[in-house]
Amino acid sequence: MATGEESVNIYQAKTEFSRLIARVEGGERIIISRSGRPVARLVPFSPERSTRHPGAWKGRVAIAPDFDAFATDDAAAWFDE
């Protein structure tokens, strides 16, 4: 159980569901337990990220042919003051 999470038993969760939801809307996270064993977690809803579309930037980005070329002189320049 993460720090700051309160644990409630199933009976309490059923009788106080609206209050627990209001607390979760306020940012709290609540663990629901059965016989002292955690079985569920109430957490604030966060929408899923949008679907990725591979290739969406095709033709918009140009990478130089030598973008990964590396010379020891380059590394030495990083440490010169």
Side-chain angles (χ1 to χ4, degrees), residues 53-67:
H53 301 284
W57 282 83
K58 187 174 184 175
R60 296 185 193 179
V61 177
I63 299 175
D66 64 344
F67 83 99

PDB file of all heavy atoms in Angstrom, residues 53-67:
ATOM      1  N   HIS A  53      -0.012   7.246 -34.043  1.00  0.00           N
ATOM      2  CA  HIS A  53      -0.088   6.958 -35.465  1.00  0.00           C
ATOM      3  C   HIS A  53       1.323   6.974 -36.043  1.00  0.00           C
ATOM      4  O   HIS A  53       1.823   8.032 -36.440  1.00  0.00           O
ATOM      5  CB  HIS A  53      -0.975   7.990 -36.189  1.00  0.00           C
ATOM      6  CG  HIS A  53      -2.360   8.041 -35.660  1.00  0.00           C
ATOM      7  ND1 HIS A  53      -3.295   7.086 -35.949  1.00  0.00           N
ATOM      8  CD2 HIS A  53      -2.970   8.928 -34.842  1.00  0.00           C
ATOM      9  CE1 HIS A  53      -4.428   7.384 -35.331  1.00  0.00           C
ATOM     10  NE2 HIS A  53      -4.262   8.484 -34.644  1.00  0.00           N
ATOM     11  N   PRO A  54       1.977   5.808 -36.110  1.00  0.00           N
ATOM     12  CA  PRO A  54       3.345   5.770 -36.643  1.00  0.00           C
ATOM     13  C   PRO A  54       3.407   6.353 -38.047  1.00  0.00           C
ATOM     14  O   PRO A  54       2.520   6.133 -38.865  1.00  0.00           O
ATOM     15  CB  PRO A  54       3.667   4.272 -36.663  1.00  0.00           C
ATOM     16  CG  PRO A  54       2.752   3.675 -35.637  1.00  0.00           C
ATOM     17  CD  PRO A  54       1.500   4.511 -35.692  1.00  0.00           C
ATOM     18  N   GLY A  55       4.441   7.125 -38.275  1.00  0.00           N
ATOM     19  CA  GLY A  55       4.642   7.719 -39.589  1.00  0.00           C
ATOM     20  C   GLY A  55       3.969   9.066 -39.759  1.00  0.00           C
ATOM     21  O   GLY A  55       4.003   9.647 -40.845  1.00  0.00           O
ATOM     22  N   ALA A  56       3.357   9.595 -38.715  1.00  0.00           N
ATOM     23  CA  ALA A  56       2.651  10.870 -38.824  1.00  0.00           C
ATOM     24  C   ALA A  56       3.595  12.017 -39.199  1.00  0.00           C
ATOM     25  O   ALA A  56       3.166  13.000 -39.808  1.00  0.00           O
ATOM     26  CB  ALA A  56       1.927  11.192 -37.522  1.00  0.00           C
ATOM     27  N   TRP A  57       4.871  11.919 -38.853  1.00  0.00           N
ATOM     28  CA  TRP A  57       5.839  12.975 -39.158  1.00  0.00           C
ATOM     29  C   TRP A  57       6.642  12.682 -40.426  1.00  0.00           C
ATOM     30  O   TRP A  57       7.583  13.399 -40.747  1.00  0.00           O
ATOM     31  CB  TRP A  57       6.785  13.179 -37.978  1.00  0.00           C
ATOM     32  CG  TRP A  57       6.146  13.969 -36.890  1.00  0.00           C
ATOM     33  CD1 TRP A  57       5.328  13.514 -35.916  1.00  0.00           C
ATOM     34  CD2 TRP A  57       6.245  15.370 -36.702  1.00  0.00           C
ATOM     35  NE1 TRP A  57       4.913  14.534 -35.120  1.00  0.00           N
ATOM     36  CE2 TRP A  57       5.467  15.699 -35.580  1.00  0.00           C
ATOM     37  CE3 TRP A  57       6.927  16.380 -37.364  1.00  0.00           C
ATOM     38  CZ2 TRP A  57       5.352  16.991 -35.119  1.00  0.00           C
ATOM     39  CZ3 TRP A  57       6.800  17.675 -36.891  1.00  0.00           C
ATOM     40  CH2 TRP A  57       6.022  17.966 -35.780  1.00  0.00           C
ATOM     41  N   LYS A  58       6.265  11.626 -41.149  1.00  0.00           N
ATOM     42  CA  LYS A  58       7.003  11.255 -42.359  1.00  0.00           C
ATOM     43  C   LYS A  58       7.006  12.428 -43.341  1.00  0.00           C
ATOM     44  O   LYS A  58       5.982  13.035 -43.620  1.00  0.00           O
ATOM     45  CB  LYS A  58       6.365  10.038 -43.019  1.00  0.00           C
ATOM     46  CG  LYS A  58       7.164   9.505 -44.178  1.00  0.00           C
ATOM     47  CD  LYS A  58       6.561   8.216 -44.704  1.00  0.00           C
ATOM     48  CE  LYS A  58       7.430   7.654 -45.808  1.00  0.00           C
ATOM     49  NZ  LYS A  58       6.945   6.350 -46.249  1.00  0.00           N
ATOM     50  N   GLY A  59       8.192  12.772 -43.836  1.00  0.00           N
ATOM     51  CA  GLY A  59       8.329  13.868 -44.783  1.00  0.00           C
ATOM     52  C   GLY A  59       8.475  15.230 -44.125  1.00  0.00           C
ATOM     53  O   GLY A  59       8.752  16.221 -44.785  1.00  0.00           O
ATOM     54  N   ARG A  60       8.292  15.311 -42.823  1.00  0.00           N
ATOM     55  CA  ARG A  60       8.407  16.591 -42.109  1.00  0.00           C
ATOM     56  C   ARG A  60       9.746  16.744 -41.400  1.00  0.00           C
ATOM     57  O   ARG A  60      10.114  17.838 -41.000  1.00  0.00           O
ATOM     58  CB  ARG A  60       7.310  16.721 -41.054  1.00  0.00           C
ATOM     59  CG  ARG A  60       5.930  16.766 -41.598  1.00  0.00           C
ATOM     60  CD  ARG A  60       4.993  17.022 -40.455  1.00  0.00           C
ATOM     61  NE  ARG A  60       3.612  16.787 -40.826  1.00  0.00           N
ATOM     62  CZ  ARG A  60       2.608  16.923 -39.987  1.00  0.00           C
ATOM     63  NH1 ARG A  60       2.824  17.256 -38.733  1.00  0.00           N
ATOM     64  NH2 ARG A  60       1.375  16.712 -40.392  1.00  0.00           N
ATOM     65  N   VAL A  61      10.445  15.646 -41.174  1.00  0.00           N
ATOM     66  CA  VAL A  61      11.685  15.668 -40.412  1.00  0.00           C
ATOM     67  C   VAL A  61      12.812  15.156 -41.294  1.00  0.00           C
ATOM     68  O   VAL A  61      12.670  14.140 -41.971  1.00  0.00           O
ATOM     69  CB  VAL A  61      11.569  14.781 -39.153  1.00  0.00           C
ATOM     70  CG1 VAL A  61      12.877  14.753 -38.392  1.00  0.00           C
ATOM     71  CG2 VAL A  61      10.450  15.274 -38.264  1.00  0.00           C
ATOM     72  N   ALA A  62      13.921  15.869 -41.269  1.00  0.00           N
ATOM     73  CA  ALA A  62      15.096  15.440 -42.030  1.00  0.00           C
ATOM     74  C   ALA A  62      16.236  15.178 -41.051  1.00  0.00           C
ATOM     75  O   ALA A  62      16.499  15.994 -40.165  1.00  0.00           O
ATOM     76  CB  ALA A  62      15.504  16.510 -43.023  1.00  0.00           C
ATOM     77  N   ILE A  63      16.876  14.047 -41.205  1.00  0.00           N
ATOM     78  CA  ILE A  63      18.000  13.692 -40.344  1.00  0.00           C
ATOM     79  C   ILE A  63      19.253  13.692 -41.204  1.00  0.00           C
ATOM     80  O   ILE A  63      19.297  13.047 -42.245  1.00  0.00           O
ATOM     81  CB  ILE A  63      17.780  12.312 -39.696  1.00  0.00           C
ATOM     82  CG1 ILE A  63      16.524  12.351 -38.823  1.00  0.00           C
ATOM     83  CG2 ILE A  63      18.999  11.900 -38.884  1.00  0.00           C
ATOM     84  CD1 ILE A  63      16.137  11.019 -38.233  1.00  0.00           C
ATOM     85  N   ALA A  64      20.255  14.430 -40.760  1.00  0.00           N
ATOM     86  CA  ALA A  64      21.514  14.525 -41.505  1.00  0.00           C
ATOM     87  C   ALA A  64      22.154  13.148 -41.605  1.00  0.00           C
ATOM     88  O   ALA A  64      22.076  12.347 -40.669  1.00  0.00           O
ATOM     89  CB  ALA A  64      22.452  15.498 -40.814  1.00  0.00           C
ATOM     90  N   PRO A  65      22.790  12.858 -42.721  1.00  0.00           N
ATOM     91  CA  PRO A  65      23.416  11.539 -42.898  1.00  0.00           C
ATOM     92  C   PRO A  65      24.477  11.235 -41.845  1.00  0.00           C
ATOM     93  O   PRO A  65      24.720  10.091 -41.517  1.00  0.00           O
ATOM     94  CB  PRO A  65      24.054  11.597 -44.278  1.00  0.00           C
ATOM     95  CG  PRO A  65      23.530  12.815 -44.940  1.00  0.00           C
ATOM     96  CD  PRO A  65      22.944  13.692 -43.902  1.00  0.00           C
ATOM     97  N   ASP A  66      25.099  12.262 -41.279  1.00  0.00           N
ATOM     98  CA  ASP A  66      26.147  12.033 -40.289  1.00  0.00           C
ATOM     99  C   ASP A  66      25.676  12.314 -38.859  1.00  0.00           C
ATOM    100  O   ASP A  66      26.487  12.573 -37.981  1.00  0.00           O
ATOM    101  CB  ASP A  66      27.362  12.898 -40.619  1.00  0.00           C
ATOM    102  CG  ASP A  66      27.051  14.390 -40.516  1.00  0.00           C
ATOM    103  OD1 ASP A  66      25.856  14.753 -40.492  1.00  0.00           O
ATOM    104  OD2 ASP A  66      28.005  15.178 -40.456  1.00  0.00           O
ATOM    105  N   PHE A  67      24.392  12.210 -38.590  1.00  0.00           N
ATOM    106  CA  PHE A  67      23.879  12.577 -37.268  1.00  0.00           C
ATOM    107  C   PHE A  67      24.490  11.735 -36.150  1.00  0.00           C
ATOM    108  O   PHE A  67      24.607  12.191 -35.022  1.00  0.00           O
ATOM    109  CB  PHE A  67      22.347  12.475 -37.223  1.00  0.00           C
ATOM    110  CG  PHE A  67      21.833  11.093 -36.964  1.00  0.00           C
ATOM    111  CD1 PHE A  67      21.442  10.711 -35.693  1.00  0.00           C
ATOM    112  CD2 PHE A  67      21.725  10.163 -37.991  1.00  0.00           C
ATOM    113  CE1 PHE A  67      20.959   9.439 -35.456  1.00  0.00           C
ATOM    114  CE2 PHE A  67      21.244   8.899 -37.753  1.00  0.00           C
ATOM    115  CZ  PHE A  67      20.869   8.520 -36.491  1.00  0.00           C
TER     116      PHE A  67
END
